[in-house]
Amino acid sequence: MRGGGPDVTDTTGTPSPDPGKPERGASPTGAGRRRRRWLRYTSTAVAVVVLGAVAVGWVAYEKLNGNITADNDAAAELARYERERPTALVRGAQNILLIGSDSRSGAGNKKYGRDSGTERSDTTILLHLSADRDSATAVSLPRDLMVKVPDCRRPDGTRTGPMFAMFNYAFEVGGSACTIRTVEKLTDIRVDHHMVVDFHGFKDMVDAVDGVEVCLKEPIDDKAAKLRLPAGKVVLNGEQALGYVRARKSIGNGSDTDRMDRQQKFLGALISKVRSDDVLLNPAKLYPVLDAATSSLTTDPGLANLRGLYDLVRGMRDIPTESIRFLTVPRTSYVLNANRDQLVEPEAARLFARLRADRPVAVAKEPSQGPGRGRSPHSVSLYGNAFRDHEEESDDDGMSTAIGVVRLSGTPDPAPTFRGSTAAQDACG
């Protein structure tokens, strides 16, 4: 002390301010302000990202949804004949008719020929999905198969009369509804859904998976199909793939049966490609495939949206490739014209009945004669419904030819074997 007083203020005994509160008149610390500002910015950024992702997802969903065309005319026509359509026997089993249209209308299709204003089914496959989704069976129906085509509605509203004609005539005169009714009368199998895809959609699908590998036993030089390929393993782009599955005279023996075999093997290779690249589990890979698959797709109203297609694909994604089977309906040359086909019985009736009852079938490259293969010599079905025409026939062992499900002893009938392949088979196998 100097001059009798202290030179500093003694604060001993004076209460200290609460360390958790600022002194009166003071503002929050700078660090606190920065922390709250950072939280506000971060929350805003997260919200923007989330909203942006939702917006992008919604736009993508709407685009894919808008790609699909609903076949409302076919639905109305089928409803008109609902009473005469087959009844589904097994709940959960699905039968989808896949139709490849050779229409020259639409983007990029005119270069494949003159647009006559009509279209035919270049390829038709009846796809059966088992109720428990542990197998899928794809049955090709030859376009030259002689069948009964019912009376159908033309695009202009007029109607045709019943006719005995080539199978693809049904699509030409009455579109998908007429084709479905023809298939149902031929097989007695209820068609639950259908899809129609044109050339452009097929090409885009192949390009979306960066091509599909096939194996060629010899070089191909087909001017009509605009296709030149070397022998051996070749990865086909969309344009090449279209020429490959449509070519007829320059590959193999030139028959439609050989062409259908080639189409089946290509579809098997396409499925394997999608599975091996984990396309179904990777959104970045899946979107272009979905965009391509839906861009030229016409379906029944039940599948004309992403939800319907997703539910269908989700049920198929776990089916083992060895349980995805491809075959052609048993056929032989038509007795009045070797350039046309007719069903071979009792094999065709047995095949249709087993699919209708959701029973398994087996396929082999060259099936041997034996149980499930039917009897010899073959009978031929030219008219009417194969199931109904042959439901009273029996094999030598007493088993119903058409049903082919249970032997008289009550033991399950072994799956009959048909000529075909699976998606698991190697392209060069």
Side-chain angles (χ1 to χ4, degrees), residues 31 67 92 109 133 148 156 172-173 185 285 287 345 413 420:
N67 283 349
N109 290 331
R133 297 298 188 269
K148 274 187 173 181
D156 63 3
E172 181 179 358
V173 298
K185 288 181 176 296
K285 293 182 179 180
Y287 180 81
E345 301 297 358
D413 173 37

Side-chain angles (χ1 to χ4, degrees), residues 77-317:
E77 179 73 357
L78 292 173
R80 175 187 176 123
Y81 292 94
E82 180 59 37
R83 289 188 177 183
E84 71 177 37
R85 298 184 66 193
T87 301
L89 294 185
V90 181
R91 184 176 181 179
Q94 294 274 294
N95 297 294
I96 302 113
L97 195 65
L98 310 176
I99 303 172
S101 167
D102 70 354
S103 172
R104 268 63 174 180
S105 64
N109 290 331
K110 292 183 179 180
K111 64 181 179 181
Y112 300 109
R114 183 175 58 87
D115 182 9
S116 62
T118 62
E119 53 185 333
R120 291 173 294 179
S121 51
D122 200 51
T123 300
T124 304
I125 295 175
L126 180 62
L127 175 64
H128 174 79
L129 303 178
S130 63
D132 55 11
R133 297 298 188 269
D134 65 352
S135 69
T137 304
V139 181
S140 293
L141 299 171
R143 61 184 183 181
D144 296 338
L145 184 68
M146 300 301 294
V147 297
K148 274 187 173 181
V149 178
D151 63 301
C152 294
R153 182 184 184 277
R154 294 190 181 96
D156 63 3
T158 61
R159 303 197 70 86
T160 67
M163 181 178 293
F164 185 66
M166 290 192 304
F167 175 71
N168 68 353
Y169 175 76
F171 192 73
E172 181 179 358
V173 298
S176 53
C178 189
T179 303
I180 290 169
R181 292 181 59 220
T182 300
V183 170
E184 290 184 339
K185 288 181 176 296
L186 178 72
T187 66
D188 204 36
I189 295 173
R190 172 85 177 201
V191 174
D192 302 293
H193 299 289
H194 70 276
M195 300 181 185
V196 183
V197 64
D198 65 13
F199 295 152
H200 186 69
F202 176 82
K203 292 188 303 179
D204 286 351
M205 183 80 168
V206 175
D207 286 335
V209 296
D210 297 324
V212 174
E213 184 179 78
V214 298
C215 188
L216 306 178
K217 294 182 178 179
E218 54 189 35
I220 297 175
D221 188 359
D222 190 318
K223 294 181 180 180
K226 300 178 181 178
L227 190 64
R228 293 190 66 182
L229 298 170
K233 290 188 176 183
V234 183
V235 176
L236 304 182
N237 61 29
E239 189 72 38
Q240 293 170 325
L242 180 63
Y244 177 72
V245 299
R246 296 190 69 236
R248 184 169 178 173
K249 296 180 180 180
S250 63
I251 307 177
N253 59 21
S255 68
D256 200 40
T257 298
D258 191 68
R259 186 176 69 100
M260 286 185 290
D261 287 347
R262 191 165 62 252
Q263 291 172 348
Q264 292 164 7
K265 290 179 180 178
F266 183 86
L267 289 176
L270 176 59
I271 292 172
S272 296
K273 178 67 179 291
V274 171
R275 290 270 183 99
S276 65
D277 282 359
D278 292 327
V279 170
L280 298 178
L281 301 177
N282 187 330
K285 293 182 179 180
L286 180 60
Y287 180 81
V289 175
L290 288 177
D291 191 32
T294 58
S295 62
S296 301
L297 188 66
T298 300
T299 76
D300 61 278
L303 291 182
N305 56 79
L306 281 185
R307 170 56 61 182
L309 287 176
Y310 174 76
D311 289 342
L312 178 66
V313 173
R314 182 180 60 181
M316 296 178 60
R317 65 185 180 187

Side-chain angles (χ1 to χ4, degrees), residues 319-367:
I319 299 177
T321 52
E322 61 269 17
S323 295
I324 301 176
R325 306 177 184 94
F326 298 93
L327 64 144
T328 300
V329 63
R331 39 73 57 203
T332 190
S333 296
Y334 178 42
V335 291
L336 299 181
N337 186 342
N339 293 319
R340 303 289 180 262
D341 292 329
Q342 62 191 34
L343 295 180
V344 171
E345 301 297 358
E347 283 89 340
R350 176 181 288 114
L351 172 63
F352 298 150
R354 291 189 73 90
L355 295 180
R356 185 169 186 253
D358 197 29
R359 300 291 296 175
V361 298
V363 293
K365 188 174 182 179
E366 296 295 338

